[in-house]
C-alpha cells in the first residue's frame, strides 16, 4: 500500500512539473505561485495565452487581511523583481485598490485572499481595450507598461458571497482580474 501511495505521489509531482515546464521561468505560466487555470478562467483564450507566456519584469504576492469588515492587501509575501525591488511600493498601492468586503459566516475561520501584482516591461496588446484601465502616475508620459492585479479569494466557508457578479459567476469565490496601463 505504501509503495502504491509513493508511486501515485511521484506521478502527481512529475505531472505538475511537466505542466509548467513549457513556460519560461519568469512568466506567469512558469510561476508556481498562481494557478494557470485561474488565469485561464479569468481571461479570454488569447488574452490568457499572452499573459501566461509574456515574461514579466516584476511579480508580487500580497496577502489580504481582514480589518473591520474589509479585506485589505498590505503585506508582501513574495516578490520576484528584476533587477531589484523598485516596484514594491507601487505593487502595494495597486493591491490596496482591491479592498473588498470580508464576508464571514460567524465561524472562527477568517476569510482570506491573495493579490498577485504583475508588471510587464511593455504593454500587452492582446488584452482587449475595454478590459484595460488607465492608471495615472507621476510620470508625464504615455502608458508604456501593463500591470495586472489578480485577486484570489480563499473559499473557506459555505456562505453565499455577495461579490459574485456576472463576470465571476462561474467562480464561486469571487476571484477577479484587473488590467492597468501605466507609465513608469
Amino acid at each position: 500500500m505504501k509503495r502504491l501511495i509513493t508511486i501515485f505521489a511521484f506521478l502527481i509531482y512529475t505531472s505538475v512539473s511537466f505542466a509548467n515546464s513549457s513556460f519560461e521561468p519568469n512568466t506567469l505560466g512558469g510561476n508556481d505561485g498562481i494557478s494557470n487555470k485561474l488565469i485561464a478562467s479569468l481571461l479570454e483564450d488569447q488574452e490568457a495565452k499572452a499573459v501566461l507566456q509574456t515574461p514579466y519584469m516584476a511579480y508580487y504576492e500580497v496577502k489580504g487581511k481582514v480589518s473591520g469588515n474589509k479585506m485589505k492587501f498590505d503585506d508582501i509575501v513574495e516578490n520576484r523583481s528584476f533587477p531589484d525591488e523598485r516596484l514594491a511600493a507601487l505593487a502595494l498601492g495597486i493591491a490596496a485598490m482591491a479592498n473588498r468586503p470580508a464576508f464571514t459566516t460567524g465561524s472562527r475561520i477568517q476569510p482570506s485572499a491573495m493579490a498577485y501584482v504583475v508588471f510587464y516591461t511593455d504593454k500587452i496588446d492582446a488584452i482587449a481595450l475595454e478590459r484595460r484601465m488607465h492608471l495615472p502616475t507621476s510620470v508625464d508620459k504615455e502608458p508604456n507598461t501593463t500591470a495586472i492585479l489578480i485577486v484570489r479569494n480563499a473559499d473557506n466557508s459555505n456562505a453565499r458571497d455577495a461579490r459574485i457578479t456576472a463576470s465571476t459567476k462561474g467562480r464561486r469565490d469571487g476571484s477577479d482580474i484587473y488590467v492597468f496601463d501605466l507609465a513608469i
Side-chain angles (χ1 to χ4, degrees):
M1 185 66 174
K2 288 182 182 180
R3 177 179 264 180
L4 183 62
I5 292 172
T6 304
I7 292 171
F8 184 68
F10 176 75
L11 289 174
I12 289 175
Y13 175 75
T14 56
S15 66
V16 170
S17 298
F18 289 130
N20 286 341
S21 65
S22 63
F23 294 103
E24 295 294 320
N26 67 328
T27 62
L28 281 183
N31 189 331
D32 293 337
I34 186 166
S35 167
N36 294 353
K37 288 181 182 179
L38 176 64
I39 295 170
S41 72
L42 295 170
L43 295 169
E44 300 295 325
D45 290 340
Q46 292 298 333
E47 294 172 336
K49 184 177 177 183
V51 166
L52 289 171
Q53 292 179 347
T54 305
Y56 53 74
M57 167 174 49
Y59 164 86
Y60 296 92
E61 285 183 25
V62 185
K63 185 176 181 177
K65 298 176 186 173
V66 176
S67 176
N69 62 350
K70 296 237 182 232
M71 184 71 64
K72 294 193 178 188
F73 298 95
D74 58 1
D75 183 24
I76 292 180
V77 176
E78 180 179 346
N79 61 3
R80 297 177 193 171
S81 189
F82 306 101
D84 53 22
E85 298 178 18
R86 63 191 161 138
L87 298 174
L90 185 56
L92 280 174
I94 289 174
M97 291 190 297
N99 284 348
R100 11 183 9 115
F103 297 99
T104 62
T105 60
S107 69
R108 292 184 213 181
I109 300 172
Q110 291 289 323
S112 63
M114 288 294 286
Y116 305 94
V117 183
V118 185
F119 294 97
Y120 293 92
T121 306
D122 298 316
K123 290 171 60 175
I124 299 178
D125 294 327
I127 299 175
L129 287 174
E130 58 271 4
R131 185 181 292 276
R132 299 167 182 253
M133 294 176 268
H134 178 71
L135 186 65
T137 62
S138 62
V139 180
D140 292 334
K141 294 194 299 187
E142 287 294 314
N144 59 359
T145 302
T146 296
I148 295 180
L149 169 63
I150 303 167
V151 180
R152 181 183 53 85
N153 295 311
D155 188 12
N156 56 9
S157 76
N158 290 325
R160 186 77 180 137
D161 197 339
R163 291 177 291 206
I164 296 175
T165 63
S167 67
T168 60
K169 192 174 186 181
R171 298 174 307 280
R172 185 185 171 282
D173 66 354
S175 297
D176 212 346
I177 190 166
Y178 307 93
V179 181
F180 302 100
D181 287 336
L182 63 141
I184 295 181

